[in-house]
Amino acid sequence: MDLDYSTAELAFRAEVRDWLGGHAPPPLPPMDTADGFAAHRAWEAELAGARLSVVSWPEEYGGRGASLIDWLIFEEEYWAAGCPARVTQNGIFLLGPSLLRHGTPEQREHWLPRMARGDDVWAQAWSEPEAGSDLAALTSRAEPCEGGWRLYGHKTWSSRAAFATHGFGLFRTSGARHRGLTYFMFPMTDVAVRPIAQLDGLPGFAELRFDGVFTPESMVLGEVGQGWRIAMATTSSERGLTLRSPGRFLATADRLVELAGDADPVLADRAARCRVEAEAYQLHTFGTARRIMAGEEIGSAASLGKIFWSELDLRMHALALELLGDRAEDWLDGFLFSLAGPIYAGTNEIQRSIVAERVLGLPR
C-alpha cells in the first residue's frame, strides 16, 4: 500500500484546512433539539456551498468527484478543526451510497443534491420491536395501491426521526423471509412519531408507526423484493467505512494525549496506546479505501472495523473521565454517546458472529 500522499491530495488537504479555518462554526446546540437541528442544517448548507459536504460524490449531485482517499483527508481535517457531527449522516453516508448504486437516474437527480445541501434530513428505520437484531424477521409491511404503496407497522430506535423530513427502511411485500423485503423511502409527513429520550434526555431516537402511510412508486429503491440485498450494501457502508471515519478518533486521541500530558505515567501510557490504535485504524481504513477504489467489495470484513472503532471510542472517553473525575463535563456527552457504539449499526456481538462465520469460516 502506498502511504505517501500525492501532490493533488496534499493540495486538497491544504484547501480544506484553509476553508475550515475561516468557517468552522462555534459549538452548536445539540442536534437532538429543534434549535440545534436547525443550526446543524444551516452549517451543512454552508459546507455544501463550498462543495465540501459530499466530496466523493459526482459533481452533478453536489460533490467534487473526489476519491475515497480525499474523503478520508477531508474527514481528518473536519474533525481536527473541531467541527460538529453531521445531522445529515444517515442520508449522505447510508442512503446516499445506496441511491448512487441502485437508484434510478430520476431518483439520483432529485434526491442526492437535496441531501447534499441538507434540504432533506433522513431518518433510518431498520429496527422493529419484535425483530431484535434479526432484520429478516421484520413484520412491517407495504401494500400496493394506486400510484404507489401503503406502509403499515411499527419501527423503533430510529435515529434523527424526531425532526427528520424523510425516512428509509425495509418493509415486507411478500411472505418470503429475505426475498419478501422491499426498500422504501417515505416522507415523514403522515408517520406517527414518538420521540425516545437518550441518556441525556434528548430525543435522539423515535418510534415510528405507519397506519397506511402513502409513499409513491418513485420512492421504491431497487426492485420489489430486492430490499435485503440493497440493505446489506447499506449496512456494509455503515459498518465498514462511511459511518465513522478515522479522523473522528484521531482528533479524540489527540485531545486525550494532551489531557494526559502530566498525568500519572500509567494513565499517560494508556492515552498514548489509544493514539496508536487510532492511527492503526487510520491505516486499516486507508487500505480498505484503496481496495474499494481497485474494485474490491468490503463484504463481511466490514464488521471488523465496526468492532474496533466502537470499542476504541469507549476506551478513550472512559479514560478521559478517569483523568478528569468530576471536572469531565466537556467529555461527558462524548462518553454517553460512546456507550452506544457497541450497540448501534448492529451490536458487536452480532458483528463477532459475522466475522466468525463469514470471514473466518468457523461453524455456527
Side-chain angles (χ1 to χ4, degrees):
M1 183 176 73
D2 184 3
L3 298 178
D4 295 324
Y5 294 112
S6 69
T7 302
E9 288 165 347
L10 291 171
F12 178 67
R13 183 186 291 279
E15 179 197 345
V16 172
R17 183 176 295 177
D18 182 62
W19 189 88
L20 290 173
H23 294 82
L28 301 178
M31 67 174 76
D32 297 319
T33 63
D35 288 346
F37 190 81
H40 279 75
R41 288 179 78 174
W43 156 240
E44 294 190 36
E46 185 176 353
L47 202 59
R51 292 194 304 118
L52 288 172
S53 65
V54 287
V55 296
S56 62
W57 287 11
E59 293 185 12
E60 62 264 39
Y61 305 137
R64 295 182 175 220
S67 71
L68 286 176
I69 300 300
D70 284 329
W71 173 73
L72 290 168
I73 289 170
F74 167 79
E75 285 281 297
E76 288 181 9
E77 294 301 323
Y78 185 87
W79 292 105
C83 294
R86 306 281 294 276
V87 73
T88 55
Q89 69 175 21
N90 286 331
I92 61 175
F93 295 149
L94 302 180
L95 178 59
S98 296
L99 271 170
L100 283 165
R101 187 167 183 177
H102 301 283
T104 64
E106 292 77 16
Q107 287 174 329
R108 293 195 292 267
E109 289 167 11
H110 179 77
W111 293 112
L112 291 174
R114 297 180 59 83
M115 202 180 289
R117 294 191 300 266
D119 295 347
D120 306 317
V121 179
W122 293 79
Q124 184 186 30
W126 293 137
S127 300
E128 294 189 5
E130 304 300 327
S133 296
D134 185 4
L135 192 60
L138 59 82
T139 59
S140 291
R141 69 186 195 282
E143 297 180 358
C145 65
E146 184 176 353
W149 297 78
R150 296 281 179 187
L151 306 179
Y152 299 87
H154 183 190
K155 301 282 186 178
T156 191
W157 306 119
S158 182
S159 54
R160 305 283 86 75
F163 302 105
T165 60
H166 294 75
F168 61 94
L170 294 181
F171 289 79
R172 190 162 293 287
T173 46
S174 79
R177 184 172 157 82
H178 292 85
R179 295 183 179 178
L181 299 172
T182 300
Y183 200 125
F184 285 93
M185 301 178 284
F186 52 85
M188 294 289 284
T189 315
D190 297 322
V191 179
V193 178
R194 187 182 76 82
I196 300 174
Q198 305 173 125
L199 281 172
D200 59 7
L202 300 177
F205 302 97
E207 281 188 338
L208 307 179
R209 290 191 180 275
F210 301 82
D211 185 18
V213 171
F214 175 77
T215 193
E217 185 69 38
S218 60
M219 297 286 266
V220 175
L221 180 56
E223 298 177 11
V224 172
Q226 294 298 310
W228 177 264
R229 182 171 60 85
I230 300 170
M232 290 304 99
T234 299
T235 55
S236 289
S237 295
E238 182 178 27
R239 295 166 185 163
L241 193 64
T242 58
L243 180 63
R244 294 287 178 260
S245 71
R248 183 185 186 118
F249 307 112
L250 287 167
T252 301
D254 286 341
R255 288 177 61 208
L256 185 64
V257 169
E258 184 177 356
L259 183 67
D262 297 323
D264 178 290
V266 174
L267 297 180
D269 181 68
R270 285 168 56 191
R273 287 175 183 271
C274 287
R275 182 61 175 78
V276 171
E277 290 175 11
E279 195 165 338
Y281 178 55
Q282 177 196 34
L283 293 173
H284 171 80
T285 307
F286 270 73
T288 300
R290 297 282 189 201
R291 290 197 297 276
I292 292 174
M293 291 164 62
E296 293 185 30
E297 298 279 349
I298 305 177
S300 300
S303 297
L304 290 164
K306 196 272 176 176
I307 295 168
F308 190 86
W309 59 249
S310 61
E311 296 184 352
L312 171 61
D313 198 34
L314 185 54
R315 281 198 302 279
M316 289 196 292
H317 284 87
L319 178 55
L321 265 60
E322 192 173 342
L323 284 161
L324 289 168
D326 57 8
R327 297 177 291 110
E329 185 176 352
D330 288 348
W331 286 78
L332 192 56
D333 285 346
F335 172 70
L336 293 177
F337 190 78
S338 72
L339 291 173
I343 300 172
Y344 65 75
T347 68
N348 283 8
E349 288 78 7
I350 293 293
Q351 305 312 310
R352 286 190 164 86
S353 293
I354 291 172
V355 171
E357 295 169 13
R358 302 178 194 171
V359 178
L360 301 177
L362 299 176
R364 299 190 69 172

